[in-house]
Amino acid sequence: MTIYQSGIIAEASSDALFITLNVDRSEINALRNTLGAAPALIEELQSQFPAAELHASIGLSSLIWDDLDRNRPQFLAPFPHIAGKDIEFIPTDVDLVLHIRSSRHDATYQLANVLFNAFGSSVRLVEEVSCFKYLDNRDLTGFVDGTENPAGEQRKAVALVGSEDQSFEHGSYFNLMRFVHDLEKWENEDLKTQEDVYGRTKHTNQEYPSAEKSVHAHTKRTSLKDENGDSLEILRHSMPFASLTEKGLMFASYSKTPVIFNLMLESMVKGDEHGNTDHLMKYTRATTGQAFFVPSNKWLVSLS
Ligand code: HEM
């Protein structure tokens, strides 16, 4: 078992389930016991599906944290309410999240079922969204998603809390947003307009040269640097979901601090110093916005 929860760092998967839950406060001891047993339950299912790259992470929001631990991760807070001229992100925080992923939908389903049954009446299901790999890791707008994610050891450096918050080392801040796309509007745009919206080419997935990127391009608005010129990064595990009537993206990201994600949101919604905002948001709408902390396996086990 890794010291951090395995869903954080693992490579992109072809299947994922995002499950959000609220807790019955009168059953907090039962919840504590299940959270403590969860790492072993996950490991057991992983051994039943050795080739399925089955991974999970369990996150807790600021709403439930204090019921479980008197100490708090340094930056744990509700999802920020950010409103600009045309875009608004509204917090819809819940108590718990399960992020389960694998290369086999049956494995994902079984682990979700085992965990949900183990929580029993201590939780109430808020939402369950099943996601799939679309083509070569594309969003339903047709563009490859995840290209500029950190790779190799850099994934841990970006996603895991280090010694700066010793009690919560190896944990990660997790943000989840459910976006519903207006694909009719999107598909009415010509190729050049779509590519300008991302600042990347569609078919060949090439980044535009910096000078050709619009100030409204999604990759312009989210590619941020600190005062030393170093990139501010997050680790994204976003995946599409779709029914015949509703199509979109579960945006999911891990980071050693939520500050970077919040800055990206601000840059998208409020824009640069001239108010130039992210034009991708003209074609999609966030129906949820949630913030969690995904503690280490050691912290989970210590609960029971
Ligand atoms: C880049 C899609 C929301 C952060 C990208 C790319 C795509 C994409 C296709 C280019 C390829 C790459 O992954 O590097 C989407 C869609 C979204 C969405 C469809 C919602 C409907 C967000 C949000 C954030 C975000 C909410 C953060 C607050 C980033 C970052 C990059 C990126 C950091 C890499 C920028 C770079 O360095 O070039 N996104 N994204 N995205 N996105 Fe998003």
Side-chain angles (χ1 to χ4, degrees), residues 89 139 141 143-149 177 179 181 198 200 205 207 213 218-219 222-223 232 234 236 249 251 261 264-265 268 280-281 284:
F89 291 142
D139 170 66
T141 53
F143 282 74
V144 176
D145 192 9
T147 312
E148 298 294 337
N149 253 343
M177 299 177 82
F179 283 95
H181 295 345
Y198 280 109
R200 298 189 76 94
N205 187 28
E207 186 176 10
K213 263 193 197 178
H218 178 60
T219 55
T222 53
S223 174
L232 293 171
I234 56 177
R236 288 168 290 133
L249 182 86
F251 171 88
F261 170 80
M264 288 177 182
L265 280 190
M268 291 167 70
L280 177 59
M281 296 298 119
T284 189

Side-chain angles (χ1 to χ4, degrees), residues 164-214:
E164 69 278 6
D165 190 4
Q166 220 158 17
S167 317
F168 298 104
E169 214 173 339
H170 310 295
S172 188
Y173 292 89
F174 181 60
N175 284 103
L176 188 61
M177 299 177 82
R178 182 178 184 275
F179 283 95
V180 176
H181 295 345
D182 184 344
L183 285 186
E184 209 179 308
K185 183 174 178 188
W186 177 254
E187 280 156 11
N188 272 327
E189 304 288 16
D190 60 28
L191 180 63
K192 174 76 166 63
T193 306
Q194 292 187 353
E195 293 186 333
D196 288 351
V197 163
Y198 280 109
R200 298 189 76 94
T201 62
K202 190 173 190 177
H203 304 300
T204 54
N205 187 28
Q206 295 299 306
E207 186 176 10
Y208 276 22
S210 185
E212 285 173 33
K213 263 193 197 178
S214 153

Side-chain angles (χ1 to χ4, degrees), residues 88-109:
E88 183 173 16
F89 291 142
I90 298 170
T92 62
D93 283 302
V94 295
D95 292 330
L96 290 183
V97 66
L98 310 180
H99 177 197
I100 302 172
R101 55 208 186 90
S102 79
S103 59
R104 286 177 52 167
H105 189 62
D106 55 350
T108 312
Y109 156 76

Side-chain angles (χ1 to χ4, degrees), residues 93-163:
D93 283 302
V94 295
D95 292 330
L96 290 183
V97 66
L98 310 180
H99 177 197
I100 302 172
R101 55 208 186 90
S102 79
S103 59
R104 286 177 52 167
H105 189 62
D106 55 350
T108 312
Y109 156 76
Q110 280 215 18
L111 179 53
N113 220 31
V114 162
L115 290 174
F116 189 59
N117 288 339
F119 282 118
S121 56
S122 67
V123 298
R124 187 183 56 76
L125 181 66
V126 178
E127 194 170 46
E128 177 189 359
V129 184
S130 181
C131 295
F132 57 92
K133 175 177 166 170
Y134 179 60
L135 305 172
D136 47 343
N137 291 318
R138 287 174 191 260
D139 170 66
L140 294 173
T141 53
F143 282 74
V144 176
D145 192 9
T147 312
E148 298 294 337
N149 253 343
E153 281 304 298
Q154 186 62 10
R155 291 165 85 82
K156 288 185 198 156
V158 165
L160 298 178
V161 172
S163 54

